[in-house]
Amino acid sequence: MASTEDMMMFAIYAKDILVGYSALELGDPPMGVAFGKFVAADAYGEIQHDCQTNHGDQSGLALSVKTPAGGLVPCAGVAILDYSNHVEDGEPAYVEATVLGIPYALYGELFPEHVARYEQRFSGS
């Protein structure tokens, strides 16, 4: 798998404020889910506590995701799951961005590598 530096980065917003990026390098195509390591922007500090303590309903943050070209990705929801306050000494902090319910046709356009990996699992090759 390519490093996140080599991948396209999607921008994550809280309302109209850029809070971070993710390559959304992993996914579940049939469910329309893409997720990956979250890289914080400067404004992430404004919502970090909510992302650490509320993994159930982040709708109040009005999270959205934009493609590397700047187009809004239609979806059922976006979440930032921040586990950085649960790490043991010496462990790296982990924060994940998850995008749920991306329409199937668009999912295939944005994440052809996810679809290819999924299909390969069931092709017998």
Side-chain angles (χ1 to χ4, degrees):
M1 186 181 305
S3 70
T4 53
E5 291 82 24
D6 299 332
M7 302 175 111
M8 294 189 314
M9 296 297 277
F10 291 80
I12 313 292
Y13 288 82
K15 298 182 175 74
D16 60 350
I17 299 168
L18 176 67
V19 295
Y21 300 90
S22 179
L24 301 173
E25 63 272 16
L26 301 169
D28 183 343
M31 298 298 290
V33 175
F35 58 97
K37 181 180 177 183
F38 176 79
V39 179
D42 291 340
Y44 178 62
E46 297 175 29
I47 65 166
Q48 184 174 16
H49 179 74
D50 289 325
C51 296
Q52 290 174 327
T53 59
N54 181 4
H55 294 171
D57 180 4
Q58 295 180 348
S59 59
L61 298 175
L63 297 172
S64 62
V65 64
K66 291 186 179 180
T67 67
L72 187 65
V73 176
C75 63
V78 178
I80 300 171
L81 307 177
D82 187 331
Y83 298 100
S84 62
N85 58 349
H86 296 289
V87 298
E88 299 292 326
D89 287 340
E91 290 183 2
Y94 185 71
V95 183
E96 178 179 291
T98 303
V99 184
L100 307 164
I102 301 167
Y104 184 75
L106 178 59
Y107 192 99
E109 290 175 30
L110 293 175
F111 306 106
E113 67 284 356
H114 296 192
V115 174
R117 279 195 305 263
Y118 179 81
E119 290 174 349
Q120 187 177 35
R121 288 177 49 200
F122 297 103
S123 70
S125 48

Coordinates of all heavy atoms in Angstrom, one line a residue, residues 25-107:
E25 N -7.8 5.8 3.1 CA -7.1 4.7 2.4 C -7.7 3.3 2.6 O -7.3 2.4 1.9 CB -5.6 4.7 2.9 CG -5.3 4.4 4.3 CD -5.3 5.6 5.2 OE1 -5.8 6.7 4.8 OE2 -4.9 5.5 6.4
L26 N -8.7 3.2 3.4 CA -9.3 1.9 3.6 C -10.8 2.0 3.4 O -11.3 3.2 3.5 CB -9.0 1.3 5.0 CG -7.6 1.2 5.4 CD1 -7.4 0.9 6.8 CD2 -7.0 0.0 4.5
G27 N -11.5 0.9 3.1 CA -12.9 1.1 3.0 C -13.7 -0.2 2.9 O -13.1 -1.3 2.8
D28 N -15.0 -0.1 2.8 CA -16.0 -1.2 2.6 C -16.9 -0.7 1.5 O -17.9 -0.1 1.8 CB -16.7 -1.4 3.9 CG -17.7 -2.5 3.9 OD1 -18.0 -3.0 2.8 OD2 -18.1 -3.0 5.0
P29 N -16.6 -1.1 0.3 CA -17.3 -0.6 -0.9 C -18.8 -0.9 -0.8 O -19.6 0.0 -1.1 CB -16.7 -1.3 -2.1 CG -15.3 -1.5 -1.6 CD -15.4 -1.8 -0.2
P30 N -19.3 -2.1 -0.5 CA -20.7 -2.4 -0.4 C -21.5 -1.5 0.5 O -22.6 -1.2 0.3 CB -20.8 -3.8 0.0 CG -19.5 -4.4 -0.4 CD -18.5 -3.4 -0.2
M31 N -20.8 -1.1 1.6 CA -21.4 -0.2 2.6 C -21.2 1.3 2.3 O -21.8 2.1 3.0 CB -20.9 -0.5 4.0 CG -21.2 -1.9 4.5 SD -22.9 -2.3 4.6 CE -23.4 -1.3 6.0
G32 N -20.4 1.6 1.3 CA -20.2 3.0 1.0 C -19.3 3.7 2.0 O -19.5 4.9 2.3
V33 N -18.5 3.0 2.7 CA -17.7 3.5 3.8 C -16.2 3.6 3.4 O -15.6 2.7 2.9 CB -17.8 2.6 5.1 CG1 -16.9 3.1 6.2 CG2 -19.2 2.5 5.5
A34 N -15.6 4.8 3.7 CA -14.2 5.0 3.5 C -13.6 5.5 4.8 O -14.3 6.4 5.4 CB -13.9 5.9 2.3
F35 N -12.4 5.1 5.2 CA -11.9 5.6 6.4 C -10.3 5.5 6.3 O -9.8 4.9 5.4 CB -12.4 4.8 7.6 CG -12.1 3.3 7.6 CD1 -11.0 2.8 8.2 CD2 -12.9 2.5 6.9 CE1 -10.7 1.4 8.2 CE2 -12.7 1.1 6.9 CZ -11.6 0.6 7.5
G36 N -9.7 6.2 7.2 CA -8.3 6.3 7.2 C -7.7 7.2 8.3 O -8.5 7.8 9.0
K37 N -6.4 7.2 8.4 CA -5.7 8.0 9.3 C -6.1 9.5 9.1 O -6.1 10.0 8.0 CB -4.2 7.8 9.2 CG -3.4 8.6 10.2 CD -1.9 8.4 10.1 CE -1.2 9.3 11.0 NZ 0.3 9.2 10.9
F38 N -6.4 10.2 10.2 CA -6.7 11.6 10.2 C -5.5 12.4 10.6 O -4.8 12.1 11.5 CB -7.8 11.9 11.2 CG -8.2 13.3 11.4 CD1 -9.0 13.9 10.4 CD2 -7.7 14.1 12.4 CE1 -9.4 15.3 10.6 CE2 -8.1 15.4 12.6 CZ -8.9 16.0 11.6
V39 N -5.2 13.4 9.7 CA -4.1 14.3 10.0 C -4.7 15.7 10.3 O -5.4 16.3 9.5 CB -3.2 14.4 8.7 CG1 -2.0 15.4 9.0 CG2 -2.7 13.0 8.4
A40 N -4.5 16.2 11.5 CA -5.1 17.4 12.0 C -4.6 18.6 11.3 O -3.4 18.7 11.1 CB -5.0 17.5 13.5
A41 N -5.5 19.6 11.1 CA -5.1 21.0 10.7 C -5.1 21.8 12.0 O -5.5 21.3 13.0 CB -6.1 21.5 9.7
D42 N -4.6 23.0 11.9 CA -4.6 23.9 13.1 C -5.9 24.0 13.8 O -5.9 24.0 15.1 CB -4.0 25.3 12.7 CG -2.6 25.2 12.3 OD1 -1.9 24.3 12.6 OD2 -2.2 26.2 11.6
A43 N -7.0 24.1 13.1 CA -8.3 24.4 13.8 C -8.9 23.1 14.4 O -9.9 23.2 15.1 CB -9.3 24.9 12.7
Y44 N -8.2 21.9 14.3 CA -8.8 20.7 14.9 C -8.9 20.9 16.4 O -9.8 20.3 17.0 CB -7.9 19.5 14.5 CG -8.4 18.3 15.2 CD1 -9.7 17.7 14.9 CD2 -7.6 17.6 16.1 CE1 -10.1 16.6 15.6 CE2 -8.0 16.4 16.7 CZ -9.3 15.9 16.4 OH -9.7 14.8 17.1
G45 N -8.0 21.6 17.0 CA -8.0 21.8 18.5 C -9.4 22.3 19.0 O -9.8 22.0 20.1
E46 N -10.1 23.0 18.1 CA -11.4 23.6 18.5 C -12.5 22.5 18.7 O -13.4 22.7 19.4 CB -11.9 24.6 17.5 CG -11.0 25.8 17.4 CD -11.4 26.7 16.2 OE1 -12.6 26.8 15.9 OE2 -10.5 27.4 15.7
I47 N -12.3 21.3 18.0 CA -13.3 20.3 18.1 C -12.7 19.0 18.7 O -13.4 18.0 18.9 CB -14.0 20.0 16.8 CG1 -13.0 19.4 15.8 CG2 -14.7 21.2 16.2 CD1 -13.6 18.8 14.5
Q48 N -11.4 19.0 19.0 CA -10.8 17.7 19.4 C -11.4 17.1 20.6 O -11.6 15.9 20.7 CB -9.3 17.9 19.7 CG -8.6 16.7 20.1 CD -7.1 16.8 20.2 OE1 -6.6 17.9 20.3 NE2 -6.3 15.7 20.1
H49 N -11.8 17.8 21.6 CA -12.4 17.2 22.8 C -13.7 16.5 22.4 O -13.9 15.4 22.9 CB -12.7 18.3 23.9 CG -13.4 17.8 25.1 ND1 -12.7 17.0 26.0 CD2 -14.7 17.8 25.5 CE1 -13.5 16.6 27.0 NE2 -14.7 17.1 26.7
D50 N -14.5 17.1 21.6 CA -15.7 16.4 21.1 C -15.4 15.1 20.4 O -16.1 14.1 20.6 CB -16.6 17.3 20.2 CG -17.2 18.4 21.0 OD1 -17.6 18.2 22.1 OD2 -17.3 19.5 20.4
C51 N -14.4 15.1 19.6 CA -14.0 13.9 18.8 C -13.4 12.8 19.7 O -13.4 11.7 19.4 CB -13.0 14.3 17.7 SG -13.7 15.4 16.5
Q52 N -12.8 13.2 20.9 CA -12.3 12.3 21.8 C -13.4 11.6 22.7 O -13.3 10.5 23.1 CB -11.2 12.9 22.7 CG -10.0 13.3 22.0 CD -9.0 14.0 22.9 OE1 -9.4 14.8 23.7 NE2 -7.7 13.8 22.6
T53 N -14.4 12.4 23.0 CA -15.4 12.0 24.0 C -16.7 11.5 23.4 O -17.5 10.9 24.1 CB -15.6 13.1 25.0 OG1 -16.1 14.3 24.4 CG2 -14.3 13.4 25.8
N54 N -17.0 11.9 22.2 CA -18.3 11.5 21.6 C -18.1 10.8 20.3 O -17.9 11.4 19.2 CB -19.1 12.8 21.4 CG -20.5 12.5 20.8 OD1 -20.8 11.3 20.6 ND2 -21.2 13.5 20.5
H55 N -18.1 9.5 20.3 CA -18.0 8.7 19.1 C -19.3 8.3 18.6 O -19.4 7.7 17.5 CB -17.1 7.5 19.3 CG -15.6 7.8 19.6 ND1 -14.7 6.9 20.0 CD2 -15.0 9.0 19.5 CE1 -13.6 7.5 20.2 NE2 -13.7 8.8 19.9
G56 N -20.4 8.6 19.3 CA -21.7 8.1 18.9 C -22.5 9.0 18.0 O -23.1 8.6 17.1
D57 N -22.5 10.3 18.3 CA -23.2 11.3 17.5 C -22.5 12.6 17.4 O -22.5 13.4 18.3 CB -24.6 11.5 18.1 CG -25.5 12.5 17.3 OD1 -25.0 13.0 16.2 OD2 -26.6 12.8 17.7
Q58 N -21.8 12.8 16.3 CA -21.1 14.0 16.0 C -21.8 15.0 15.1 O -21.2 15.9 14.5 CB -19.7 13.7 15.5 CG -18.8 12.9 16.5 CD -17.4 12.6 16.0 OE1 -17.1 12.8 14.8 NE2 -16.5 12.2 16.8
S59 N -23.1 14.8 15.0 CA -23.8 15.6 14.0 C -23.8 17.1 14.4 O -23.8 17.9 13.5 CB -25.3 15.1 13.9 OG -25.9 15.2 15.2
G60 N -23.6 17.4 15.6 CA -23.5 18.8 16.0 C -22.3 19.5 15.5 O -22.2 20.7 15.4
L61 N -21.3 18.7 15.1 CA -20.0 19.3 14.5 C -20.2 19.7 13.1 O -19.4 20.4 12.5 CB -18.9 18.3 14.7 CG -18.5 18.0 16.1 CD1 -17.4 16.9 16.1 CD2 -18.0 19.2 16.9
A62 N -21.3 19.2 12.4 CA -21.5 19.4 11.0 C -20.3 19.1 10.2 O -19.8 19.9 9.4 CB -22.0 20.9 10.8
L63 N -19.8 17.9 10.3 CA -18.6 17.4 9.6 C -18.9 17.1 8.1 O -20.0 16.6 7.9 CB -18.0 16.2 10.3 CG -17.4 16.4 11.7 CD1 -17.0 15.1 12.3 CD2 -16.3 17.4 11.7
S64 N -18.0 17.5 7.3 CA -18.2 17.2 5.8 C -16.8 16.9 5.3 O -15.8 17.1 5.9 CB -18.8 18.3 5.1 OG -18.0 19.5 5.2
V65 N -16.8 16.3 4.1 CA -15.5 16.0 3.4 C -15.6 16.5 2.0 O -16.6 16.4 1.3 CB -15.3 14.4 3.5 CG1 -16.3 13.6 2.8 CG2 -13.9 14.1 3.0
K66 N -14.4 16.9 1.5 CA -14.3 17.4 0.2 C -13.2 16.6 -0.5 O -12.2 16.2 0.1 CB -13.9 18.9 0.1 CG -15.1 19.8 0.5 CD -14.8 21.2 0.3 CE -16.0 22.1 0.7 NZ -15.7 23.5 0.6
T67 N -13.3 16.4 -1.8 CA -12.3 15.7 -2.6 C -11.1 16.5 -2.7 O -11.1 17.7 -2.5 CB -12.9 15.4 -4.0 OG1 -13.1 16.7 -4.7 CG2 -14.2 14.6 -4.0
P68 N -10.0 15.9 -3.2 CA -8.8 16.7 -3.4 C -9.0 17.9 -4.4 O -8.3 18.9 -4.3 CB -7.8 15.7 -3.9 CG -8.2 14.4 -3.3 CD -9.7 14.5 -3.3
A69 N -10.0 17.7 -5.3 CA -10.3 18.8 -6.3 C -11.3 19.8 -5.7 O -11.6 20.8 -6.3 CB -10.9 18.2 -7.5
G70 N -11.7 19.6 -4.4 CA -12.6 20.6 -3.8 C -14.1 20.4 -3.8 O -14.8 21.2 -3.3
G71 N -14.5 19.3 -4.4 CA -15.9 18.9 -4.5 C -16.4 18.3 -3.2 O -15.7 17.4 -2.7
L72 N -17.6 18.7 -2.8 CA -18.2 18.1 -1.6 C -18.6 16.6 -1.9 O -19.2 16.3 -2.9 CB -19.5 18.9 -1.2 CG -20.1 18.5 0.1 CD1 -19.2 18.8 1.3 CD2 -21.4 19.3 0.3
V73 N -18.3 15.7 -1.0 CA -18.6 14.3 -1.1 C -20.0 14.1 -0.5 O -20.1 14.2 0.7 CB -17.6 13.4 -0.5 CG1 -18.0 11.9 -0.6 CG2 -16.2 13.6 -1.2
P74 N -21.0 13.7 -1.3 CA -22.3 13.5 -0.6 C -22.2 12.2 0.2 O -21.6 11.2 -0.3 CB -23.3 13.3 -1.8 CG -22.4 13.0 -3.0 CD -21.1 13.6 -2.7
C75 N -22.7 12.2 1.4 CA -22.6 11.0 2.2 C -23.7 11.1 3.3 O -24.3 12.1 3.5 CB -21.2 10.8 2.8 SG -20.8 12.2 3.9
A76 N -23.8 10.0 4.1 CA -24.8 9.9 5.2 C -24.1 10.6 6.4 O -24.9 11.0 7.3 CB -25.2 8.5 5.5
G77 N -22.8 10.6 6.5 CA -22.2 11.2 7.7 C -20.7 11.1 7.7 O -20.1 10.2 7.0
V78 N -20.1 11.9 8.5 CA -18.6 11.9 8.7 C -18.3 11.9 10.2 O -19.0 12.6 10.9 CB -18.0 13.2 8.0 CG1 -16.5 13.2 8.2 CG2 -18.3 13.3 6.5
A79 N -17.3 11.2 10.6 CA -16.9 11.1 12.0 C -15.4 11.2 12.1 O -14.7 10.7 11.2 CB -17.4 9.8 12.6
I80 N -15.0 11.8 13.2 CA -13.5 11.8 13.5 C -13.5 11.1 14.9 O -14.0 11.5 15.9 CB -13.0 13.2 13.6 CG1 -13.1 13.9 12.3 CG2 -11.5 13.1 14.1 CD1 -12.7 15.4 12.3
L81 N -12.8 9.9 14.9 CA -12.7 9.1 16.1 C -11.3 9.3 16.6 O -10.3 8.7 16.1 CB -13.0 7.6 15.8 CG -14.3 7.4 15.1 CD1 -14.5 5.9 14.7 CD2 -15.5 7.9 15.9
D82 N -11.2 10.0 17.7 CA -9.9 10.4 18.3 C -9.6 9.6 19.5 O -10.3 9.8 20.5 CB -9.9 11.9 18.6 CG -8.5 12.4 19.0 OD1 -7.7 11.6 19.6 OD2 -8.2 13.6 18.8
Y83 N -8.7 8.7 19.4 CA -8.3 7.8 20.6 C -7.0 8.3 21.2 O -6.4 7.5 22.0 CB -8.2 6.4 20.1 CG -9.5 5.8 19.6 CD1 -9.7 5.8 18.2 CD2 -10.5 5.4 20.4 CE1 -10.9 5.3 17.7 CE2 -11.6 4.9 19.9 CZ -11.8 4.8 18.6 OH -13.0 4.3 18.1
S84 N -6.5 9.5 20.9 CA -5.2 9.9 21.4 C -5.2 10.1 22.9 O -4.1 10.0 23.4 CB -4.8 11.3 20.7 OG -5.8 12.3 21.0
N85 N -6.3 10.2 23.6 CA -6.2 10.3 25.0 C -6.3 9.0 25.7 O -6.3 8.9 26.9 CB -7.4 11.2 25.5 CG -8.7 10.8 25.2 OD1 -8.9 9.9 24.3 ND2 -9.8 11.4 25.7
H86 N -6.2 7.9 24.9 CA -6.2 6.5 25.5 C -4.9 5.8 25.2 O -4.9 4.6 25.3 CB -7.4 5.7 24.9 CG -8.7 6.3 25.3 ND1 -9.2 6.2 26.5 CD2 -9.6 6.9 24.5 CE1 -10.4 6.7 26.6 NE2 -10.7 7.2 25.4
V87 N -3.9 6.5 24.7 CA -2.6 5.8 24.4 C -1.8 5.6 25.6 O -1.8 6.3 26.6 CB -1.8 6.5 23.3 CG1 -2.6 6.6 22.0 CG2 -1.4 7.9 23.8
E88 N -1.0 4.5 25.6 CA -0.1 4.2 26.6 C 1.3 4.9 26.2 O 1.5 5.2 25.1 CB 0.2 2.7 26.7 CG -1.1 1.9 27.1 CD -1.6 2.1 28.5 OE1 -0.7 2.3 29.4 OE2 -2.8 2.1 28.7
D89 N 2.1 5.0 27.2 CA 3.4 5.6 26.9 C 4.1 4.9 25.8 O 4.2 3.7 25.8 CB 4.3 5.6 28.2 CG 3.8 6.6 29.2 OD1 3.1 7.6 28.9 OD2 4.2 6.5 30.4
G90 N 4.6 5.6 24.9 CA 5.4 5.1 23.8 C 4.6 4.6 22.6 O 5.1 4.4 21.5
E91 N 3.2 4.5 22.8 CA 2.4 4.2 21.6 C 2.0 5.4 20.8 O 1.9 6.5 21.4 CB 1.1 3.6 22.1 CG 1.2 2.2 22.7 CD -0.2 1.6 23.1 OE1 -1.2 2.3 22.9 OE2 -0.2 0.6 23.7
P92 N 1.9 5.3 19.5 CA 1.5 6.4 18.7 C 0.0 6.7 18.9 O -0.8 5.8 19.1 CB 1.8 6.0 17.3 CG 1.7 4.5 17.3 CD 2.2 4.1 18.7
A93 N -0.3 8.0 18.9 CA -1.7 8.4 18.9 C -2.4 8.0 17.6 O -1.8 8.0 16.6 CB -1.8 9.9 19.2
Y94 N -3.7 7.6 17.7 CA -4.4 7.2 16.5 C -5.7 8.0 16.5 O -6.5 8.0 17.4 CB -4.7 5.7 16.5 CG -5.4 5.3 15.2 CD1 -4.7 5.3 14.0 CD2 -6.7 5.0 15.1 CE1 -5.2 5.0 12.8 CE2 -7.3 4.7 13.9 CZ -6.6 4.6 12.8 OH -7.2 4.3 11.6
V95 N -5.9 8.7 15.3 CA -7.1 9.4 15.1 C -7.6 9.0 13.7 O -6.8 8.9 12.7 CB -6.9 10.9 15.1 CG1 -8.2 11.7 14.9 CG2 -6.3 11.3 16.4
E96 N -8.9 8.6 13.5 CA -9.4 8.1 12.3 C -10.5 8.9 11.8 O -11.4 9.4 12.6 CB -9.9 6.7 12.5 CG -10.5 6.0 11.3 CD -11.0 4.6 11.7 OE1 -10.1 3.7 11.9 OE2 -12.2 4.4 11.7
A97 N -10.6 9.2 10.5 CA -11.7 9.8 9.8 C -12.5 8.8 9.1 O -11.9 7.9 8.5 CB -11.2 10.9 8.8
T98 N -13.8 8.8 9.3 CA -14.7 7.8 8.6 C -15.8 8.6 7.9 O -16.4 9.5 8.4 CB -15.3 6.9 9.7 OG1 -14.3 6.3 10.4 CG2 -16.2 5.9 9.0
V99 N -16.0 8.1 6.6 CA -17.1 8.7 5.8 C -18.1 7.6 5.5 O -17.7 6.5 5.0 CB -16.6 9.3 4.5 CG1 -17.7 10.0 3.7 CG2 -15.5 10.3 4.8
L100 N -19.3 7.8 5.9 CA -20.4 6.7 5.8 C -21.4 7.0 4.7 O -21.7 8.2 4.5 CB -21.1 6.6 7.1 CG -20.3 6.4 8.3 CD1 -21.1 6.7 9.6 CD2 -19.7 5.0 8.4
G101 N -21.8 6.0 4.0 CA -22.9 6.1 3.0 C -22.6 6.9 1.8 O -23.4 7.7 1.3
I102 N -21.4 6.7 1.2 CA -21.1 7.4 -0.1 C -21.9 6.6 -1.2 O -21.8 5.4 -1.2 CB -19.6 7.3 -0.3 CG1 -18.8 8.0 0.8 CG2 -19.2 7.9 -1.7 CD1 -17.3 7.8 0.8
P103 N -22.6 7.3 -2.0 CA -23.3 6.6 -3.1 C -22.4 5.7 -3.9 O -21.3 6.1 -4.2 CB -23.9 7.7 -4.0 CG -24.0 8.9 -3.0 CD -22.8 8.7 -2.1
Y104 N -22.9 4.5 -4.3 CA -22.1 3.5 -5.0 C -21.3 3.9 -6.2 O -20.1 3.7 -6.3 CB -23.0 2.3 -5.3 CG -22.2 1.1 -5.9 CD1 -21.5 0.3 -5.0 CD2 -22.2 0.9 -7.3 CE1 -20.7 -0.7 -5.5 CE2 -21.5 -0.2 -7.8 CZ -20.7 -1.0 -6.9 OH -20.0 -2.0 -7.4
A105 N -22.0 4.6 -7.1 CA -21.3 5.0 -8.4 C -20.1 6.0 -8.0 O -19.0 5.9 -8.6 CB -22.3 5.7 -9.3
L106 N -20.4 6.9 -7.2 CA -19.4 7.9 -6.8 C -18.3 7.2 -6.0 O -17.1 7.5 -6.2 CB -20.0 9.0 -5.9 CG -19.0 10.1 -5.4 CD1 -18.3 10.8 -6.6 CD2 -19.7 11.1 -4.5
Y107 N -18.6 6.2 -5.2 CA -17.6 5.5 -4.4 C -16.6 4.8 -5.4 O -15.4 4.9 -5.1 CB -18.3 4.4 -3.5 CG -17.3 3.8 -2.5 CD1 -17.3 4.2 -1.2 CD2 -16.4 2.8 -2.9 CE1 -16.5 3.7 -0.3 CE2 -15.5 2.3 -1.9 CZ -15.6 2.7 -0.7 OH -14.7 2.2 0.3

